Amino acid sequence: MGTTATASPRAGRTNAPKHAPSRMFRLWAAILGALPKLFWTCLSIAFFAGIWEFLWYIGWADPRLLPPPHIFLGNFAEQAQFFNTAERWTIGVDASAGPSPTMAVLLTIMATILRVLAGLLLATVASLMLGIAIRYWAPVEKLVLPTVTLLAPVSPVAWLPVAIFLFGIGNKPAVFMVFVALFFTMVLATISQIDSVNRNYINVGRIMGATRRQIFLRVILPAILPGLLVVLRLNLFGAWMVVLIAEATGVGYGLGQVIMMARNTFNPGLVFFTIVIIGVIGSVFDFTLRAVQARVLYWVPKGQASMGGG
Amino acid sequence: MGIAMTSSAVSCRDVGKTWAAGSPRAHEALRGVDLDVAPGEFVCLLGPSGCGKSTLLYLIAGLEKLTSGAILAHGQTVNGPAPERSLIFQEAALLPWLSVWQNVTFGLSLHGVSTEERRQVAREVLARAGLSEAFDKRPDELSGGMRQRVSVARAMAMRPRVLLMDEPFAALDVQTRAKMQGFLLDVWHATGASVMFVTHHIDEAVALADRVAVFTARPGRIKAVIDVDLPRPRDVEAPEAMALRRELTGLLRDEVDRAFAEQEALTSAN
Ligand SMILES: Nc1ncnc2c1ncn2[C@@H]1O[C@H](COP(=O)(O)OP(=O)(O)OP(=O)(O)O)[C@@H](O)[C@H]1O
Ligand SMILES: [Mg+2]
């Protein structure tokens, strides 16, 4: 719905050929501008990995407790055998018959990512709808808002038993955990975003003869989108945290389950291997959301998007 | 009387407005305002800050409900906003996610007018506003004066019969404001709309208005309505204009003093 309002202006501008060179230029400028940042990121990682390797080299870091990167990243097949075990370690199935090591790692990563995405999608849609209902119908606000406000500061980890009572094991409790981690905060964010919409934008709509529905779809929704995306990004890390916890309680397979298994089998190399994977995926997620933000919210001045939180 | 009422573009009858009426925070903004604006007439509203000028425009636009009295527009009781009564704010209030032409035809798009027709209307209106170049730009790529012209263009695209303007040029520098006044007078001549224009600048009122309504301090009432019988285009340095300016300054000074005294009393009470 929001895209109908936002997609058309871009279409309008791509029709004008005179904007093409400036856009190419902006792309290159963005890439060049990102290079120093990328350089420092690599340097920073290399710096700490280097310290670690050095400590191992002089014998201070015990490789059985703190194996340095070249060890836990070095033997991919060795680590990969612990991934996607639910499918490959089933009784009566030859362990080597399962997917290749790379596939096993990818399947595990995908399982976790899909749970995060499912929870993300459900929480976004549900919180947007509830936030709107609260702002549009006073009885809903009176009935629902106090409870939402009460539950918002509760750590999502506290919901873990509830997730297991309700859904047992499997995908559902993990998705539920992500949902809970995002939902309450995002309801409150939606409300505060709606409240902070410039009154005159709404007045303009009313003067032009917009219906309530049109005011919502054409004015309020595009106006609150920037703030909501920021909130979503901030809460994404929380969602990643809880999905790992949920998976650690025996969902079948997933990154959290691998970490739990590594703990139980005392395999620090596997722990660090998984941490690296999680770190990389988390950054990719954040980067993607930023890119979405920049594309969908082309009208928000740079810098404002990151400040205007809930 | 009945005939006079229906022939007015805007007719305020004993209008009163109390914000948050009935609550402890009740706040009387307007009391017993009577004002008639003839079709095609240009009326400026002048008064001390906080006397309820904006409030009156919001009531006429139908954005707020009145507490007492009645407002008629072309003989019809106002009980909600309508495209034929357009309000222009001090800030341009352009929707930042729409390009200039889409902003200008936002109202038309709400009523299902086709894209082709809307682009046509936008081209015409923007050309008149001297903004053909800005057609595809985004609002944040424009200067303050250009934005305000777009917001006037946006109002014009709806072909309003009444144009309500709340200090539309207050944020602009002197030269830009003079240009915008010329632009507004062109629009006014071309469309034959009635204009109600709030301003703090006595010069602006003398340059633009057929009549100037001076408000008292809050609760706002109309203290005096002064005819500006100067030929157009106006020479604001002419002796008659100077005399008029002096008269308006005198009328306003007492009310501004009273408004300040009241506000000081309020702040020292807190
Ligand atoms: N939405 C509102 N709710 C409550 N009180 C309001 C509201 N809008 C205005 N008021 C009050 O009504 C009075 C008149 O306000 P208004 O904005 O109409 O004054 P004004 O004449 O336009 O002043 P200015 O010249 O400074 O713009 C003020 O005392 C103001 O505090
Ligand atoms: Mg005002």
Side-chain angles (χ1 to χ4, degrees):
Chain A
M1 291 180 289
T3 45
T4 51
T6 53
S8 38
R10 216 179 308 125
R13 275 186 296 140
T14 33
N15 288 345
K18 62 181 171 184
H19 287 278
S22 82
R23 185 173 284 192
M24 269 310 280
F25 175 77
R26 255 188 274 170
L27 184 69
W28 277 108
I31 291 173
L32 287 178
L35 274 184
K37 198 174 166 224
L38 192 67
F39 170 77
W40 282 108
T41 306
C42 294
L43 195 70
S44 166
I45 293 170
F47 176 67
F48 286 102
I51 292 180
W52 196 347
E53 295 283 357
F54 177 72
L55 291 179
W56 165 79
Y57 184 74
I58 61 172
W60 281 14
D62 182 350
R64 279 165 305 169
L65 295 176
L66 292 171
H70 83 269
I71 293 180
F72 68 78
L73 292 178
N75 194 344
F76 183 77
E78 157 76 19
Q79 309 288 15
Q81 64 176 314
F82 299 105
F83 282 77
N84 197 23
T85 47
E87 262 174 49
R88 294 184 304 125
W89 288 6
T90 320
I91 299 167
V93 177
D94 182 4
S96 60
S100 69
T102 317
M103 274 311 289
V105 173
L106 283 181
L107 279 173
T108 308
I109 292 175
M110 278 319 290
T112 302
I113 287 181
L114 284 179
R115 285 174 195 131
V116 173
L117 285 181
L120 204 73
L121 192 71
L122 288 175
T124 307
V125 172
S127 58
L128 201 60
M129 295 204 315
L130 185 60
I132 290 153
I134 286 174
R135 259 300 157 264
Y136 269 63
W137 294 288
V140 180
E141 164 165 2
K142 293 205 177 78
L143 199 64
V144 177
L145 189 57
T147 310
V148 171
T149 314
L150 194 79
L151 291 178
V154 174
S155 162
V157 179
W159 286 93
L160 187 60
V162 181
I164 295 169
F165 298 156
L166 283 179
F167 298 109
I169 58 168
N171 280 323
K172 283 185 199 156
V175 173
F176 174 80
M177 289 295 289
V178 176
F179 177 85
V180 167
L182 293 170
F183 178 71
F184 298 107
T185 337
M186 284 192 60
V187 171
L188 296 184
T190 306
I191 295 170
S192 80
Q193 289 294 325
I194 292 178
D195 290 346
S196 65
V197 172
N198 186 336
R199 289 300 306 172
N200 281 346
Y201 292 170
I202 296 168
N203 283 335
V204 164
R206 292 178 63 199
I207 288 166
M208 300 285 178
T211 60
R212 268 167 84 91
R213 200 184 131 84
Q214 281 176 321
I215 293 212
F216 176 71
L217 290 178
R218 308 282 300 273
V219 179
I220 293 178
L221 202 57
I224 64 175
L225 217 53
L228 286 185
L229 264 179
V230 172
V231 176
L232 191 66
R233 239 180 68 205
L234 292 178
N235 283 292
L236 197 63
F237 289 108
W240 265 99
M241 191 183 76
V242 295
V243 83
L244 296 176
I245 293 169
E247 287 174 347
T249 59
V251 179
Y253 60 100
L255 293 171
Q257 182 247 359
V258 174
I259 287 200
M260 185 49 82
M261 179 166 49
R263 198 198 88 159
N264 291 341
T265 58
F266 200 77
N267 187 344
L270 186 56
V271 171
F272 290 122
F273 183 75
T274 318
I275 285 177
V276 168
I277 292 180
I278 293 166
V280 170
I281 299 172
S283 311
V284 170
F285 254 69
D286 192 53
F287 179 82
T288 314
L289 258 185
R290 269 172 206 265
V292 168
Q293 216 171 356
R295 245 197 113 59
V296 179
L297 307 177
Y298 54 87
W299 80 85
V300 181
K302 290 264 176 328
Q304 196 170 309
S306 49
M307 290 189 300
Chain B
M1 172 90 187
I3 295 163
M5 264 169 74
T6 46
S7 65
S8 290
V10 175
S11 176
C12 303
R13 299 260 158 261
D14 196 25
V15 169
K17 172 69 181 176
T18 303
W19 291 101
S23 84
R25 298 179 58 240
H27 192 81
E28 189 178 15
L30 290 171
R31 183 189 294 173
V33 172
D34 279 301
L35 183 64
D36 274 84
V37 178
E41 192 181 20
F42 200 127
V43 175
C44 276
L45 311 182
L46 212 55
S49 179
C51 72
K53 305 178 297 291
S54 301
T55 304
L56 184 62
L57 289 197
Y58 275 64
L59 293 175
I60 297 171
L63 293 173
E64 300 286 348
K65 297 224 172 332
L66 29 165
T67 321
S68 60
I71 295 177
L72 306 178
H74 297 286
Q76 305 276 316
T77 305
V78 169
N79 48 20
E84 66 144 34
R85 273 171 281 122
S86 217
L87 177 58
I88 294 172
F89 307 92
Q90 178 169 347
E91 45 140 17
L94 302 179
L95 304 177
W97 54 89
L98 298 180
S99 64
V100 165
W101 80 267
Q102 288 170 322
N103 262 293
V104 167
T105 57
F106 179 69
L108 298 177
S109 78
L110 295 171
H111 298 100
V113 177
S114 76
T115 309
E116 230 357 271
E117 200 172 327
R118 281 165 52 212
R119 289 179 73 95
Q120 187 56 38
V121 171
R123 262 192 290 275
E124 284 165 18
V125 180
L126 285 172
R128 181 151 353 128
L131 282 169
S132 297
E133 284 296 303
F135 191 85
D136 271 320
K137 288 215 162 97
R138 275 181 288 134
D140 64 351
E141 295 173 309
L142 305 181
S143 72
M146 290 163 92
R147 264 179 240 169
Q148 201 51 274
R149 270 187 284 167
V150 174
S151 91
V152 175
R154 172 173 65 185
M156 281 163 57
M158 300 304 283
R159 303 189 175 282
R161 295 209 279 168
V162 178
L163 213 49
L164 308 164
M165 307 182 83
D166 191 1
E167 304 183 41
F169 308 146
L172 306 178
D173 63 274
V174 179
Q175 287 87 356
T176 314
R177 191 184 314 138
K179 279 244 182 291
M180 294 294 290
Q181 289 169 359
F183 166 60
L184 175 60
L185 288 176
D186 289 346
V187 169
W188 176 57
H189 282 306
T191 60
S194 318
V195 180
M196 294 181 78
F197 188 102
V198 172
T199 179
H200 279 288
H201 292 269
I202 291 171
D203 292 356
E204 194 162 52
V206 172
L208 295 174
D210 292 326
R211 285 192 297 155
V212 180
V214 181
F215 280 70
T216 65
R218 196 184 63 85
R221 270 159 295 148
I222 290 184
K223 180 175 184 169
V225 179
I226 310 290
D227 289 316
V228 186
D229 277 327
L230 302 175
R232 296 174 192 272
R234 285 194 177 150
D235 174 12
V236 286
E237 304 295 332
E240 297 90 333
M242 295 300 229
L244 202 62
R245 205 174 299 166
R246 260 196 302 281
E247 184 183 359
L248 289 171
T249 310
L251 281 169
L252 206 54
R253 190 185 302 123
D254 306 342
E255 295 307 324
V256 172
D257 288 348
R258 271 191 32 209
F260 264 83
E262 186 192 327
Q263 249 155 35
E264 235 148 65
L266 270 178
T267 41
S268 59
N270 287 344

